[in-house]
Structures are given as C-alpha cells and as structure tokens.
Amino acid sequence: MLPLLAAWVVRGALEDGGAADRAAYAAGTSPWSWRFADTEDIVAGKVFGDAAIKADASGLIVTPKRTGRGELGFPLSRQADLRRLNLLRLDAISQTGDISLVVRPTLADPLVRADLPGLARPIRLDQMAWHDATGKPVAPPERAAMLRLAFTLPPDATLTLRGASLARAEGPFPESGMAVPTGLTAEGLLRWRDRQRAFDPLVTFGDSPAHTDAPGGARWIAPGAYALLLIMAGTIGWRRRERRDAPSDAAGALSRRPPSRFRAPSDVANGLLCLVGPLWFIAGLGLGPHVDASAVPMFAGGVVYGAFLTWIRAIPRWHWLGRGGWRLAGWPLLAIPVAIGIAAVAGHAPIWPPASRALLYIGWAFFQQWLMLAVVAGLLARALPRPVAVLLVALAFALLHTPNGLLMQLCFVAELGWAWWYLHQRALLPVAVAHAAAAVVLQACMAGGVLRSLEVSARFLS
C-alpha cells in the first residue's frame, strides 16, 4: 500500500503543479518568476564576484567591492524555454553601471551573454545581441539551464533587485495539460515527468483548475486547534504529575493511582498528539516549493509536546545503551550489513558524503528515533498489545518519508525491527547509530539510481 500512496501523492502534486503553471501563463507570466526578499532567494544565497549583498524592505541590495564585477543566479528548478518565454521583466533599480544577462543553454554548453539596454521596461530576449566568451556573435539561446544577472558597478553605485520573471511576448499558451499516466510508481512518475519536460519545458500536467490558496487566516485553523489540544492535554498531564508527586501516605497514593484501563486511552491520545504535527508537516505539506508557515508550528508542537511528556515523566524510561551495553545491540545494527548488501546488489560506486554530514546525521537519526521510539512507541506499547504498537510505529515512520515510495518501504521494514528491539531493551543509541549508518550507505551507493534520493516532501519532486 505504501507505493500506491506515494504514487497517488506524486500524481496529485504533478496535477496541482500543472494547474499552478497554467494559472501563471494565463496571468501573463510563467513558473519562472522570482521575488527577492532574502539572500536565500538567489542561487547559493550569495553574489559571485567582487560584491556584497544584503536584504532589506526594498529587496536585495548589491554593493560593489574592488572591481565591482559580479553575478547573481536566478534559481531554476527546471530548464526554461527562452524561444517561447522570450520576454524578461526585471523589477530592479541601478543608477549606473553595466548590467548583462548570462545564460548557459544546458549545463554542458558554454556561456553566452547579452548586455541589457535598461531595467525599466520588459526586454525581448530574441532581439538582444548575444555573444560568447570570446565576443563572437551567436544566435539567441533557445533554452536556459543556468540564468544569471551579471553586473559591473562603480564604487558608489548599488543594484536593488526586487523580482524577475520570464514571459511570452505574444501568442497563447495551451489551456489544458497532458494526462498523468496511472500504474506508475512515484519514482516512475517523476522519470516520466522529466522526459516530458526535456522534450517541452512548458508542458503542464492534468486538467484540474488552478489551485486557490486558502485565506490567510484559514490556514491557521488547524495549527490553532492543534495548539489548543496540546495545551489541554498538557494541563491534564501536569495535574497528574502534581498528584503523583504530592507527599502522602502509601494508602493515599494507591487510592489516587489511576487504573490501567483509564491510562490506556490517555497514552494512545498522547502518542497520536506527538505524531500529528510532524505528519502534518511532511505527509500533508502539499508538496509546494516553499514550506507553509502554518505547518512549522505543527511540527514544532509535536516535538515540544514529546519533550514535555519526557520532562513530566509521562513516558516509560529509556536508556542510551541499556543494561547489556553494546553486547545486545546486534539486532538493530544488523541494518548496516543489510544496507551494504542491498547497495552491493542494486547500487552504484559509492559517493561518500563529507564526514561532518555523516556525523550530523547521527544526531538527526537520534532525534527521529527518540520521537518515534522513546515517546510514541513507549506510549503505545503501554496501552496496546506490543505487536500492534510496533506495527503502528513502523507505519508512522514510513509516512514521515512521504512521498518517497521506495524509501517509505525501507523505513517501514527497518522500523519494524528497531521498534521490536527497542521495546525489549529500551535503548536508543544503537538504533540511532544503525539508522544513521544505513542511511549514509544508501545515500552514497544508491541515491540517483534505484533509490531516487533520500529526500522527502517537496524536495523529493526536485
């Protein structure tokens, strides 16, 4: 079922993206439109060359240093068709200086350049004088895999950049998109999409109408309701802690201890409350190009609530290594040779990440397993039969990797074993090490091949 779910999510994302693209064309612009409010809105978050950049309320401000020559890149999520999107609009101001446009038609092609006649009005790209690095005239580029704004500014000048877009100077765009095929996996759908875009960068998918964003306040209803539930549940948990820790005689303490049949619904509810926020953030993000601000507090709320339950000792105790130390860690660490075996059979030559990234991932893996095992699995196993708790935790861990279909399956199988072992040993570090090491092996030896990537949510579609 996980591959079917992943394919359904990706198919919906392609159709929603196609509707948004058609809406942009109908509005006289295109998906290749940029607003510059922060340095992260340009490639690499910096200017290449002798210039500095900062953001303020007016946009991005470029100031020269030394020679004053530099370039800044427009992010391209896919190749742009400059033959049909032949109109460049710049929302920019520069009192003086030389501004030009730099294009690389494909990542393997040499750069071509054309001087911009000005910044105040739209510019026809097919009517500009283009030349190569030697100054030899060349034909206008038909596509762009890299698009940069180059400048030479005198010492006291600045360049203010607020936005840019590519549009079509004349002629209509198709009003309907290409039907998205059924029967393909999530990874197969993305390969199909990439082939269609390589043939026609302006192709759109599906025939659904343009998606309209919810009103600004409506998107905060779910985070508000979630926060209210967390506050109510947290208040109940805090009061229980006070009653539990209040000094009293043994008989009184026994009389106040809730029967286990009343604790079970509370444990299930607390486990679900910890999961709702992260699942909403990742599995329900809508796969847009930018994180919805209203989804961030959902993720943070689930994590903070898990930490709160840990602080008030509302979850079963856990350990770093357990009483057996590394002697009993063979079961979770079995994931490492399994990952190596999978990579040897279906992988490619390893491309290892930097050591700093691998070490960082140990901390990230520990965080994930703390939330899934110490908090959620501990609560569910106290309220439900252990096999049911293990199954639910493995399913939740898989859903946190939506819509990466193959990775969802690998995570489901791995977490079945890790959750089973954890509920016997209550030790987190061996699981975190196994998680991090297996992920590094898969990323180094399988990403870009059988396993498209280790990314989730919108990044998986990139």
Side-chain angles (χ1 to χ4, degrees):
M1 298 300 293
L2 291 173
L4 294 177
L5 173 64
W8 176 73
V9 172
V10 170
R11 188 179 299 110
L14 294 182
E15 292 176 347
D16 288 345
D21 288 354
R22 290 190 293 275
Y25 294 138
T29 178
S30 77
W32 291 268
S33 300
W34 305 272
R35 299 305 303 174
F36 302 110
D38 188 81
T39 55
E40 294 303 316
D41 294 332
I42 61 175
V43 173
K46 66 178 183 179
V47 169
F48 302 96
D50 291 337
I53 191 169
K54 65 177 182 179
D56 65 12
S58 61
L60 298 182
I61 311 297
V62 179
T63 54
K65 297 188 300 184
R66 296 187 295 274
T67 65
R69 296 176 181 173
E71 297 180 356
L72 55 86
F74 297 158
L76 293 176
S77 60
R78 59 187 190 267
Q79 199 177 48
D81 186 343
L82 301 187
R83 182 174 54 86
R84 287 176 289 174
L85 297 178
N86 54 356
L87 191 67
L88 173 66
R89 297 191 181 104
L90 287 172
D91 185 3
I93 300 173
S94 179
Q95 298 85 356
T96 184
D98 298 323
I99 312 294
S100 60
L101 193 66
V102 179
V103 172
R104 194 187 291 273
T106 71
L107 295 180
D109 288 334
L111 295 171
V112 295
R113 180 187 302 261
D115 295 329
L116 297 182
L119 303 176
R121 62 178 184 271
I123 302 162
R124 287 285 298 261
L125 300 178
D126 53 350
Q127 297 177 1
M128 296 169 60
W130 293 88
H131 55 84
D132 61 17
T134 65
K136 179 182 177 181
V138 295
E142 295 189 351
R143 294 195 179 186
M146 189 192 81
L147 187 64
R148 288 184 177 182
L149 197 67
F151 53 83
T152 301
L153 300 176
D156 297 330
T158 60
L159 170 63
T160 302
L161 186 63
R162 291 186 291 263
S165 67
L166 296 174
R168 192 168 188 179
E170 55 192 14
F173 283 99
E175 296 182 358
S176 61
M178 179 179 294
V180 180
T182 58
L184 295 179
T185 64
E187 294 80 6
L189 284 170
L190 294 183
R191 287 193 293 269
W192 173 84
R193 177 205 64 180
D194 294 343
R195 288 194 299 269
Q196 305 308 316
R197 286 180 172 173
F199 178 74
D200 180 5
L202 302 189
V203 66
T204 65
F205 306 109
D207 56 2
S208 57
H211 175 72
T212 56
D213 293 332
R219 67 182 61 181
W220 292 95
I221 293 177
Y226 183 52
L228 182 61
L229 287 174
L230 292 180
I231 292 171
M232 294 171 58
T235 302
I236 294 172
W238 179 261
R239 289 176 178 173
R240 285 181 177 174
R241 182 206 180 199
E242 289 182 331
R243 289 197 301 268
R244 182 189 66 209
D245 295 345
S248 61
D249 58 274
L254 288 174
S255 66
R256 287 193 302 273
R257 184 175 297 166
S260 59
R261 67 177 180 272
F262 295 121
R263 181 192 297 172
S266 173
D267 286 338
V268 172
N270 281 332
L272 292 177
L273 284 173
C274 292
L275 279 175
V276 165
L279 285 175
W280 183 284
F281 179 82
I282 294 177
L285 188 58
L287 303 178
H290 303 289
V291 174
D292 189 338
S294 63
V296 175
M298 295 287 289
F299 181 89
V303 174
V304 170
Y305 189 65
F308 170 76
L309 294 177
T310 303
W311 179 55
I312 66 173
R313 302 192 303 277
I315 65 172
R317 297 184 65 180
W318 57 272
H319 312 279
W320 287 95
L321 277 176
R323 286 171 292 184
W326 289 103
R327 198 166 40 84
L328 300 177
W331 279 108
L333 294 178
L334 186 62
I336 301 174
V338 169
I340 294 173
I342 294 174
V345 172
H348 51 70
I351 304 174
W352 298 107
S356 58
R357 180 181 176 88
L359 292 174
L360 180 64
Y361 201 83
I362 294 179
W364 175 236
F366 178 81
F367 164 77
Q368 293 181 69
Q369 297 302 337
W370 164 78
L371 181 65
M372 299 306 304
L373 298 181
V375 178
V376 177
L379 290 170
L380 294 183
R382 194 164 61 185
L384 301 171
R386 182 170 292 179
V388 176
V390 169
L391 182 64
L392 292 177
V393 169
L395 179 60
F397 187 60
L399 292 177
L400 285 174
H401 295 80
T402 304
N404 194 331
L406 183 56
L407 186 60
M408 290 169 72
Q409 297 173 77
L410 292 172
C411 289
F412 177 79
V413 174
E415 195 73 354
L416 279 176
W418 289 334
W420 170 83
W421 183 88
Y422 171 82
L423 291 176
H424 281 80
Q425 303 297 329
R426 304 288 175 168
L428 271 187
L429 188 59
V431 176
V433 171
H435 179 176
V440 169
V441 170
L442 293 178
Q443 180 180 12
C445 302
M446 294 189 68
V450 175
L451 185 66
R452 181 179 176 90
S453 71
L454 294 190
E455 301 289 1
V456 300
S457 197
R459 296 191 304 271
F460 179 63
L461 301 179
S462 299

